[in-house]
Amino acid sequence: MEKPANKSSGENHIESADFLGLMKKIKKWDWLSIVPYLGLILILIVFSFTSNGNLFGAYNVSIVVQQTVALAIVCLGGVFVYSMGNLDISIGATIGLCTLIQALILNATGNLLLAFMAALLLALSFGLINGAVSSWLGLPSVITSLFLMFIGTGVQTIITLKTNTIRTSFDFSFWKNMYVQIGALVIMFCIVYYLFNYTRLGKYTSSIGANLEFAKQSGVNVFRNKIYAYLIMGTCVAIASLFILARSGSSSRVTGAGYHMDVMVALILGGMPLSGGMKSKVSAALIGSFSYVLLTNGLTLSGVAASNVPLVKALIFAVIVIITSRKKGVVLPR
């Protein structure tokens, strides 16, 4: 006759094994991956109360959408560049030049297609230089983009030497429509999502960010894929510049200034690893852009002084960087 104790011991052993298996699955789950989503939800909840409901007012929603669409489209292109662990600080200057060129051509011809194609050509040229030169010379991408930023800013200043702002009377009613902008963002998201997740380009750029030498030894053409990544970035910058121009109807020497920082902060808020790699994801562009715009907008609506808004955003950014560093396994100083 079997002893009940043995049966109980067997059952306990099975339950213990199941528990250990469950704990292993829990450890494999990347809990920090949901932090950006929780952050966005928290922003919505907090500012819905502190703004006395103005956050969800019809006018404010349209403003948030206009600001977010342009930023999110640039961030979608930035996913490829940042997944390689690279930075592009010429984004702001490129946007400034693209809006200026479009405004000038629209004033001269009234042809939006011609104006956009000129802006696209400029943005692609900047992207090609960024990717090719940094690869040929073996320079960090930030050095090449710094050079392009100075050139772009200088040309902006020369064009606007006589007048600080160039306005256009072109009717942008269609492009300012909230549903048109949302539709454009959805289309761009689907294209980028497919390219990044279901083509070799996305896998290769992520592998370059994860381990450059290993990617080279595995047969990845770093030069070619780096150029492709920057060309996609340039395309997204050109499209975003159209919506930026449509929103204001003008372009000045300060248009686009600091936009590269907005893109970097938005992507990191969305969960993009600082060093790129295999954990890079397209969703970071959307989540981060909405979080960044809503954070700025919500602070203003809540009565925070404009001079204090950058400080609050800086503190939040610092926290996200610390979380991201821990997520990547970086040992932080005590």
Side-chain angles (χ1 to χ4, degrees):
M1 182 177 179
E2 296 182 358
K3 296 181 180 180
N6 291 339
K7 183 178 180 181
S8 176
S9 177
E11 290 177 350
N12 289 337
H13 177 72
I14 294 174
E15 291 176 359
S16 177
D18 292 340
F19 177 75
L20 290 174
L22 178 62
M23 289 304 296
K24 288 181 179 179
K25 291 181 179 180
I26 291 176
K27 287 182 178 179
K28 288 181 179 180
W29 177 262
D30 188 3
W31 290 101
L32 290 178
S33 64
I34 66 173
V35 169
Y37 298 91
L38 295 177
L40 178 58
I41 294 172
L42 182 62
I43 288 173
L44 289 171
I45 293 174
V46 170
F47 290 130
S48 64
F49 288 103
T50 59
S51 66
N52 296 320
N54 292 326
L55 184 69
F56 298 108
Y59 176 75
N60 191 63
V61 168
S62 66
I63 295 298
V64 169
V65 169
Q66 289 181 13
Q67 294 176 346
T68 303
V69 166
L71 179 60
I73 289 177
V74 178
C75 286
L76 285 172
V79 168
F80 290 92
V81 173
Y82 276 75
S83 67
M84 297 187 294
N86 293 339
L87 298 176
D88 185 356
I89 61 176
S90 65
I91 293 174
T94 308
I95 288 176
L97 277 181
C98 285
T99 55
L100 276 175
I101 286 176
Q102 290 181 91
L104 290 171
I105 294 178
L106 284 173
N107 288 339
T109 67
N111 191 323
L112 180 61
L113 179 59
L114 179 62
F116 174 73
M117 293 306 296
L120 178 61
L121 180 61
L122 171 69
L124 290 177
S125 299
F126 270 46
L128 181 62
I129 294 172
N130 236 332
V133 173
S134 62
S135 296
W136 278 335
L137 301 180
L139 296 172
S141 59
V142 67
I143 301 299
T144 310
S145 63
L146 181 65
F147 165 73
L148 291 173
M149 182 188 74
F150 286 140
I151 290 181
T153 304
V155 174
Q156 271 185 278
T157 303
I158 293 173
I159 294 176
T160 58
L161 200 58
K162 294 183 179 180
T163 174
N164 183 52
T165 303
I166 296 178
R167 302 186 181 278
T168 176
S169 58
F170 186 84
D171 184 11
F172 281 107
S173 300
F174 175 79
W175 298 100
K176 289 195 293 185
N177 185 285
M178 184 172 65
Y179 298 104
V180 171
Q181 295 190 358
I182 293 175
L185 178 58
V186 170
I187 292 173
M188 290 302 300
F189 176 81
C190 292
I191 293 174
V192 171
Y193 187 86
Y194 173 77
L195 291 175
F196 191 75
N197 292 290
Y198 297 102
T199 68
R200 291 181 178 179
L201 178 60
K203 295 179 176 63
Y204 286 167
T205 55
S206 296
S207 64
I208 291 171
N211 192 315
L212 177 60
E213 291 304 319
F214 181 78
K216 288 180 179 179
Q217 293 176 12
S218 299
V220 176
N221 190 322
V222 176
F223 175 76
R224 182 172 61 194
N225 285 281
K226 195 170 186 178
I227 289 179
Y228 287 161
Y230 276 99
L231 289 178
I232 292 175
M233 179 74 164
T235 302
C236 291
V237 167
I239 295 172
S241 69
L242 173 62
F243 289 110
I244 292 173
L245 180 61
R247 186 174 69 215
S248 62
S250 64
S251 179
S252 71
R253 68 184 62 177
V254 296
T255 298
Y259 215 86
H260 63 282
M261 288 300 299
D262 294 341
V263 172
M264 182 175 70
V265 174
L267 284 172
I268 293 176
L269 284 176
M272 177 67 71
L274 288 170
S275 58
M278 304 310 293
K279 290 187 177 181
S280 303
K281 47 193 176 183
V282 179
S283 61
L286 286 186
I287 300 300
S289 297
F290 274 104
S291 298
Y292 183 74
V293 172
L294 285 170
L295 179 62
T296 305
N297 183 267
L299 288 171
T300 303
L301 290 176
S302 300
V304 177
S307 58
N308 294 329
V309 171
L311 176 60
V312 176
K313 291 195 294 185
L315 292 174
I316 295 175
F317 177 67
V319 173
I320 296 298
V321 169
I322 292 173
I323 293 175
T324 305
S325 298
R326 290 185 179 278
K327 181 179 179 180
K328 294 285 290 181
V330 177
V331 179
L332 299 175
R334 294 182 180 274

